[in-house]
Amino acid sequence: VIKIKNVANGDVNLDGVQYHAFDNNFSRFLVKNGDVLLSLTGNHPQAMTQVVGEASKYKLNEYALLNQRVAKIKPKKGLLNNFLYYLLKHDATHENLANKSSGSANQANISKNDVETLDILLPPLPEQKAIASVLLSLDDKIDLLHRQNKTLEAMAETLFRQWFLPAEASAQVGVEGKLPDEFDFVMGASPPGESYNETGEGVPMYQGNADFGFRFPQKRIFTTDPKRFAEKHDTLISVRAPVGAQNMAEEKCCIGRGVAAFRYKKNKEFYTYTYFKMKSLIEDIKQFNESGTVFGCIGKKDFEEIEILIPENRDVENFQKNVKPIDDKIIENCIQIRTLEKLRDTLLPKLMSGEVRINGG
């Protein structure tokens, strides 16, 4: 059963999805691969997705059912399905629907009539096909790189476990120590609020889990008065609820009090080893989500007391030498994904508004 929470960011997320017994009374609520869905309730009515036509990453094995406040939109003759998908992702469409919505900013609602009376610019079918093809090719490449990154990261993590965490209970790779024996780390501190901006002045600042992406944080907030820094390729860990989210610094950046930055003590260039060593400790770190009177948190002294095994230098060096190329490919892919997403997001409004035209012949 696809609910509002499962429809977000141009795709379907079925984590924690619920199931319901089917009977014929539900037949008109069925959706299949390729259907275009639209959330009718949310902070702003733009949680749109294609449940799996070509432009989506997720594949339904069979059918699914729509829950309340999620609509299925079927194009009539003269409107291509993939063009409809990108049309609904256009910011101008979001704005037009938001202007029609009722309710509060935190719980906006749009109706069937709001959707039906939405004005759209509809180019000829050949041009629709050409526009959708351009955008789809970018999304396909982005999706390919995302899937490749997940495979590469799983491969690197497996190699780390095989190298330093053998399955045999009696095996011990390294000598007993504590986290500061192997890593330097910096606890973040928040700059004054008046230094924050979203216009790119100063340096990017990351406050915690909300900023984290697959590998690198998303640049949302900047500060002209940074207090604590992470260096390029430092491993970043969220230290306030939720504790234990992990990322890597793409460049020198400011870290707020919700983030700590780690680097290998003997060689700061060993960022691959640092990243996957910290990943191996994440479950221990996440236990601090249960601490605190209201929200979980982990402090400097807590990190200092985390017990670890410290491998011999030659093992760390060999791991870094062999796995760094895999990690660097992940980093390269992330940079390429950002470039492609920026290109797609720049092209989409220009193509939909007619500012840029494509010959569909």
Side-chain angles (χ1 to χ4, degrees):
V1 178
I2 295 178
K3 300 182 178 182
I4 291 174
K5 68 178 182 180
N6 303 121
V7 184
N9 301 322
D11 205 358
V12 167
N13 179 355
L14 295 187
D15 292 343
V17 70
Q18 294 180 325
Y19 292 82
H20 195 288
F22 176 76
D23 64 51
N24 288 331
N25 292 327
F26 297 138
S27 59
R28 69 191 184 98
F29 303 113
L30 278 175
V31 292
K32 63 182 185 305
N33 291 343
D35 286 343
V36 176
L37 304 185
L38 172 65
S39 169
L40 302 179
T41 298
N43 292 343
H44 35 67
Q46 65 179 54
M48 302 159 189
T49 189
Q50 186 164 343
V51 184
V52 195
E54 296 174 284
S56 181
K57 307 176 188 69
Y58 176 76
K59 295 290 183 287
L60 285 171
N61 291 326
E62 298 180 1
Y63 288 88
L65 288 172
L66 287 183
N67 199 29
Q68 295 180 13
R69 307 302 298 161
V70 181
K72 175 173 68 173
I73 303 181
K74 297 179 64 176
K76 293 182 178 180
K77 186 177 181 180
L79 175 60
L80 293 179
N81 202 54
N82 282 339
F83 182 82
L84 170 64
Y85 171 72
Y86 287 109
L87 178 67
L88 289 173
K89 293 186 71 174
H90 184 15
D91 284 344
T93 305
H94 302 165
E95 183 177 348
N96 289 338
L97 287 173
N99 289 336
K100 292 171 174 283
S101 65
S102 60
S104 66
N106 293 327
Q107 193 70 8
N109 295 288
I110 53 176
S111 67
K112 185 171 184 285
N113 184 67
D114 292 333
V115 179
E116 290 177 338
T117 57
L118 181 68
D119 291 325
I120 62 173
L121 185 64
L122 195 60
L125 281 171
E127 189 172 351
Q128 290 182 43
K129 184 176 180 180
I131 289 172
S133 178
V134 169
L135 297 172
L136 185 58
S137 65
L138 292 171
D139 272 335
D140 282 347
K141 180 62 175 177
I142 291 167
D143 181 42
L144 176 64
L145 292 171
H146 276 301
R147 287 187 282 112
Q148 188 179 83
N149 273 356
K150 288 181 180 180
T151 300
L152 291 172
E153 183 142 317
M155 184 188 304
E157 187 173 0
T158 298
L159 289 171
F160 181 90
R161 291 183 177 278
Q162 291 175 347
W163 213 297
F164 300 110
L165 303 173
E168 297 81 4
S170 59
Q172 180 170 306
V173 181
V175 298
E176 295 180 356
K178 293 190 176 180
L179 196 62
D181 297 330
E182 195 171 23
F183 300 100
D184 292 321
F185 68 97
V186 178
M187 303 296 292
S190 296
E194 59 270 19
S195 73
Y196 296 2
N197 68 87
E198 298 180 7
T199 57
E201 295 181 57
V203 298
M205 181 189 71
Y206 305 118
Q207 289 280 44
N209 179 66
D211 297 319
F212 286 5
F214 170 76
R215 174 58 73 95
F216 297 125
Q218 298 290 326
K219 294 179 185 177
R220 298 186 303 118
I221 304 296
F222 294 78
T223 177
T224 55
D225 189 11
K227 300 302 180 184
R228 303 275 175 85
F229 289 96
E231 299 295 331
K232 183 177 181 178
H233 292 157
D234 280 357
T235 293
L236 307 178
I237 303 292
S238 64
V239 299
R240 293 176 177 268
V243 174
Q246 182 172 344
N247 251 205
M248 178 182 282
E250 188 174 5
E251 61 192 332
K252 185 174 182 178
C253 57
C254 172
I255 51 174
R257 63 177 183 171
V259 179
F262 296 79
R263 68 187 69 100
Y264 188 57
K265 188 180 287 287
K266 294 181 179 179
N267 189 336
K268 67 178 183 179
E269 297 301 320
F270 281 22
Y271 51 83
T272 297
Y273 173 74
T274 303
Y275 188 86
F276 289 98
K277 179 62 172 280
M278 294 305 299
K279 197 174 183 70
S280 74
L281 300 172
I282 284 298
E283 292 307 314
D284 294 332
I285 294 171
K286 284 183 176 179
Q287 293 180 12
F288 287 88
N289 277 308
E290 306 301 324
S291 66
T293 55
V294 180
F295 300 111
C297 62
I298 180 171
K300 182 179 180 181
K301 290 184 178 179
D302 299 316
F303 279 122
E304 289 173 343
E305 293 302 315
I306 292 179
E307 296 179 350
I308 61 172
L309 291 176
I310 304 174
E312 293 187 13
N313 289 341
R314 68 172 182 271
D315 291 332
V316 175
E317 291 171 358
N318 285 335
F319 175 83
Q320 180 71 19
K321 178 182 178 181
N322 285 277
V323 182
K324 181 177 180 291
I326 298 174
D327 199 34
D328 284 347
K329 179 59 177 173
I330 295 172
I331 292 171
E332 178 187 330
N333 284 351
C334 287
I335 294 171
Q336 190 176 359
I337 287 169
R338 291 267 182 93
T339 301
L340 292 171
E341 287 177 337
K342 184 176 181 180
L343 176 59
R344 179 201 61 198
D345 295 343
T346 300
L347 277 176
L348 193 152
K350 294 180 182 295
L351 291 170
M352 291 299 168
S353 67
E355 181 181 344
V356 172
R357 304 294 298 269
I358 297 179
N359 185 348

PDB file of all heavy atoms in Angstrom, residues 229-241:
ATOM      1  N   PHE A 229      36.589  23.384  12.327  1.00  0.00           N
ATOM      2  CA  PHE A 229      36.686  22.950  10.937  1.00  0.00           C
ATOM      3  C   PHE A 229      36.894  21.446  10.814  1.00  0.00           C
ATOM      4  O   PHE A 229      37.504  20.812  11.684  1.00  0.00           O
ATOM      5  CB  PHE A 229      37.872  23.643  10.252  1.00  0.00           C
ATOM      6  CG  PHE A 229      37.673  25.105  10.004  1.00  0.00           C
ATOM      7  CD1 PHE A 229      38.163  26.045  10.895  1.00  0.00           C
ATOM      8  CD2 PHE A 229      36.995  25.543   8.873  1.00  0.00           C
ATOM      9  CE1 PHE A 229      37.991  27.404  10.663  1.00  0.00           C
ATOM     10  CE2 PHE A 229      36.813  26.893   8.634  1.00  0.00           C
ATOM     11  CZ  PHE A 229      37.313  27.819   9.525  1.00  0.00           C
ATOM     12  N   ALA A 230      36.403  20.897   9.722  1.00  0.00           N
ATOM     13  CA  ALA A 230      36.803  19.588   9.229  1.00  0.00           C
ATOM     14  C   ALA A 230      37.626  19.818   7.977  1.00  0.00           C
ATOM     15  O   ALA A 230      37.335  20.729   7.203  1.00  0.00           O
ATOM     16  CB  ALA A 230      35.583  18.725   8.902  1.00  0.00           C
ATOM     17  N   GLU A 231      38.656  19.001   7.789  1.00  0.00           N
ATOM     18  CA  GLU A 231      39.478  19.106   6.599  1.00  0.00           C
ATOM     19  C   GLU A 231      38.913  18.209   5.499  1.00  0.00           C
ATOM     20  O   GLU A 231      38.116  17.310   5.750  1.00  0.00           O
ATOM     21  CB  GLU A 231      40.920  18.714   6.920  1.00  0.00           C
ATOM     22  CG  GLU A 231      41.599  19.578   7.973  1.00  0.00           C
ATOM     23  CD  GLU A 231      41.776  21.025   7.517  1.00  0.00           C
ATOM     24  OE1 GLU A 231      41.901  21.253   6.286  1.00  0.00           O
ATOM     25  OE2 GLU A 231      41.778  21.922   8.383  1.00  0.00           O
ATOM     26  N   LYS A 232      39.354  18.452   4.263  1.00  0.00           N
ATOM     27  CA  LYS A 232      38.906  17.658   3.128  1.00  0.00           C
ATOM     28  C   LYS A 232      39.152  16.181   3.382  1.00  0.00           C
ATOM     29  O   LYS A 232      40.242  15.785   3.808  1.00  0.00           O
ATOM     30  CB  LYS A 232      39.641  18.099   1.862  1.00  0.00           C
ATOM     31  CG  LYS A 232      39.192  17.369   0.601  1.00  0.00           C
ATOM     32  CD  LYS A 232      39.916  17.901  -0.627  1.00  0.00           C
ATOM     33  CE  LYS A 232      39.449  17.186  -1.887  1.00  0.00           C
ATOM     34  NZ  LYS A 232      40.113  17.710  -3.108  1.00  0.00           N
ATOM     35  N   HIS A 233      38.142  15.361   3.159  1.00  0.00           N
ATOM     36  CA  HIS A 233      38.141  13.901   3.292  1.00  0.00           C
ATOM     37  C   HIS A 233      38.139  13.415   4.740  1.00  0.00           C
ATOM     38  O   HIS A 233      38.256  12.217   4.972  1.00  0.00           O
ATOM     39  CB  HIS A 233      39.324  13.268   2.541  1.00  0.00           C
ATOM     40  CG  HIS A 233      39.200  13.395   1.064  1.00  0.00           C
ATOM     41  ND1 HIS A 233      40.292  13.336   0.209  1.00  0.00           N
ATOM     42  CD2 HIS A 233      38.122  13.606   0.255  1.00  0.00           C
ATOM     43  CE1 HIS A 233      39.882  13.480  -1.045  1.00  0.00           C
ATOM     44  NE2 HIS A 233      38.574  13.647  -1.036  1.00  0.00           N
ATOM     45  N   ASP A 234      37.971  14.315   5.717  1.00  0.00           N
ATOM     46  CA  ASP A 234      37.729  13.854   7.095  1.00  0.00           C
ATOM     47  C   ASP A 234      36.428  13.060   7.134  1.00  0.00           C
ATOM     48  O   ASP A 234      35.479  13.359   6.393  1.00  0.00           O
ATOM     49  CB  ASP A 234      37.609  15.039   8.058  1.00  0.00           C
ATOM     50  CG  ASP A 234      38.948  15.615   8.471  1.00  0.00           C
ATOM     51  OD1 ASP A 234      39.987  15.062   8.052  1.00  0.00           O
ATOM     52  OD2 ASP A 234      38.960  16.627   9.206  1.00  0.00           O
ATOM     53  N   THR A 235      36.374  12.075   8.014  1.00  0.00           N
ATOM     54  CA  THR A 235      35.123  11.355   8.249  1.00  0.00           C
ATOM     55  C   THR A 235      34.270  12.161   9.223  1.00  0.00           C
ATOM     56  O   THR A 235      34.745  12.591  10.273  1.00  0.00           O
ATOM     57  CB  THR A 235      35.396   9.961   8.825  1.00  0.00           C
ATOM     58  OG1 THR A 235      36.054   9.169   7.829  1.00  0.00           O
ATOM     59  CG2 THR A 235      34.106   9.261   9.224  1.00  0.00           C
ATOM     60  N   LEU A 236      33.013  12.376   8.868  1.00  0.00           N
ATOM     61  CA  LEU A 236      32.078  13.146   9.693  1.00  0.00           C
ATOM     62  C   LEU A 236      31.081  12.205  10.357  1.00  0.00           C
ATOM     63  O   LEU A 236      30.535  11.316   9.705  1.00  0.00           O
ATOM     64  CB  LEU A 236      31.323  14.174   8.840  1.00  0.00           C
ATOM     65  CG  LEU A 236      32.169  15.118   7.985  1.00  0.00           C
ATOM     66  CD1 LEU A 236      31.260  16.040   7.172  1.00  0.00           C
ATOM     67  CD2 LEU A 236      33.117  15.938   8.847  1.00  0.00           C
ATOM     68  N   ILE A 237      30.842  12.404  11.646  1.00  0.00           N
ATOM     69  CA  ILE A 237      29.882  11.605  12.408  1.00  0.00           C
ATOM     70  C   ILE A 237      28.911  12.543  13.110  1.00  0.00           C
ATOM     71  O   ILE A 237      29.329  13.521  13.753  1.00  0.00           O
ATOM     72  CB  ILE A 237      30.585  10.723  13.458  1.00  0.00           C
ATOM     73  CG1 ILE A 237      31.619   9.792  12.806  1.00  0.00           C
ATOM     74  CG2 ILE A 237      29.558   9.913  14.253  1.00  0.00           C
ATOM     75  CD1 ILE A 237      31.036   8.723  11.927  1.00  0.00           C
ATOM     76  N   SER A 238      27.617  12.277  12.997  1.00  0.00           N
ATOM     77  CA  SER A 238      26.640  13.086  13.739  1.00  0.00           C
ATOM     78  C   SER A 238      26.680  12.682  15.205  1.00  0.00           C
ATOM     79  O   SER A 238      26.683  11.497  15.535  1.00  0.00           O
ATOM     80  CB  SER A 238      25.234  12.903  13.173  1.00  0.00           C
ATOM     81  OG  SER A 238      24.782  11.575  13.326  1.00  0.00           O
ATOM     82  N   VAL A 239      26.714  13.672  16.079  1.00  0.00           N
ATOM     83  CA  VAL A 239      26.876  13.413  17.512  1.00  0.00           C
ATOM     84  C   VAL A 239      25.636  13.772  18.321  1.00  0.00           C
ATOM     85  O   VAL A 239      25.617  13.604  19.539  1.00  0.00           O
ATOM     86  CB  VAL A 239      28.105  14.177  18.068  1.00  0.00           C
ATOM     87  CG1 VAL A 239      29.367  13.715  17.365  1.00  0.00           C
ATOM     88  CG2 VAL A 239      27.935  15.692  17.928  1.00  0.00           C
ATOM     89  N   ARG A 240      24.613  14.263  17.647  1.00  0.00           N
ATOM     90  CA  ARG A 240      23.328  14.533  18.296  1.00  0.00           C
ATOM     91  C   ARG A 240      22.229  13.824  17.533  1.00  0.00           C
ATOM     92  O   ARG A 240      22.378  13.522  16.359  1.00  0.00           O
ATOM     93  CB  ARG A 240      23.053  16.044  18.372  1.00  0.00           C
ATOM     94  CG  ARG A 240      24.009  16.775  19.304  1.00  0.00           C
ATOM     95  CD  ARG A 240      23.780  18.282  19.286  1.00  0.00           C
ATOM     96  NE  ARG A 240      24.661  18.922  20.252  1.00  0.00           N
ATOM     97  CZ  ARG A 240      24.328  19.187  21.511  1.00  0.00           C
ATOM     98  NH1 ARG A 240      23.107  18.882  21.937  1.00  0.00           N
ATOM     99  NH2 ARG A 240      25.174  19.746  22.334  1.00  0.00           N
ATOM    100  N   ALA A 241      21.130  13.559  18.211  1.00  0.00           N
ATOM    101  CA  ALA A 241      20.079  12.703  17.679  1.00  0.00           C
ATOM    102  C   ALA A 241      19.712  13.072  16.255  1.00  0.00           C
ATOM    103  O   ALA A 241      19.420  14.245  15.980  1.00  0.00           O
ATOM    104  CB  ALA A 241      18.845  12.786  18.580  1.00  0.00           C
TER     105      ALA A 241
END
